[in-house]
Amino acid sequence: MLTYICTVCGDSYDKAIAASGEHEYEETDRVEPTETEAGYIVYTCKNCGDMYTETIPATGSAGEEEHNYVGVVTKEPTCVDEGEEVYTCTICGSQITVTLPATGVHDYVGTVITEATYTEPGLMEYTCSVCGNSYTAVIPATVHNYVGTVTKQATCGEDGVMTYVCSDCGDTYTDVIPATAQHSYASETTKEPTCTEAGVTTYRKNFS
């Protein structure tokens, strides 16, 4: 989750960071094969728990012709149930059945229980389509998309007004635009100069 915070007013909102989709698998279980039974290695992603199994074929009895086993998954493992893989020798037809561990990885489907609003968070429920396991997660409150418009210009002596309107729902609020303190003077000659005396020009604030 990435949080954005306004440096001016402190308003914030969260944005999800998409998962990378790249697992980091490590060996978590191993059963060594025997002469008649295959073994297996279980690899588990250390980040999300995703699993897969790699089969180690049976070694074969000493002195016997080497088998050429081909494996076929006859029952896929699920999040809670074990699966099954059958290895058949293409030379003699002998078979070895290997149990595949339950994956422990649920197939969650999300359903909105309560819609998020601008003032209240919502609620999402996730339910596994295989075993029914479920959990809930908070949906962050919706963030307004405000657009500001100057509704009263600030002058040198009076504050102005900026009105913000949410382009999605129409919610509004106003903010003060501080007075500029930059005067606009109007000049007027109040005494004309003569050949011997200087004149006078008077500057007055222009409030228009």
Side-chain angles (χ1 to χ4, degrees), residues 82-198:
E82 295 178 335
E84 187 176 87
E85 186 170 11
V86 177
Y87 287 85
T88 303
C89 177
T90 59
I91 299 173
C92 69
S94 65
Q95 291 186 324
I96 299 170
T97 300
V98 176
T99 298
L100 304 177
T103 65
V105 180
H106 297 286
D107 181 22
Y108 287 112
V109 178
T111 303
V112 176
I113 304 300
T114 305
E115 292 284 355
T117 67
Y118 291 106
T119 57
E120 297 291 337
L123 190 66
M124 175 79 81
E125 182 178 51
Y126 293 90
T127 304
C128 178
S129 61
V130 178
C131 70
N133 180 268
S134 66
Y135 70 95
T136 57
V138 173
I139 305 172
T142 306
V143 178
H144 289 289
N145 184 25
Y146 288 112
V147 178
T149 304
V150 176
T151 50
K152 179 183 177 183
Q153 292 287 348
T155 67
C156 56
E158 292 187 359
D159 292 336
V161 177
M162 176 76 81
T163 300
Y164 293 88
V165 181
C166 177
S167 60
D168 297 324
C169 72
D171 184 67
T172 66
Y173 72 94
T174 59
D175 202 359
V176 174
I177 304 173
T180 63
Q182 297 178 352
H183 299 293
S184 174
Y185 289 101
S187 62
E188 179 185 359
T189 301
T190 53
K191 181 181 178 182
E192 294 290 342
T194 68
C195 57
T196 58
E197 293 183 357

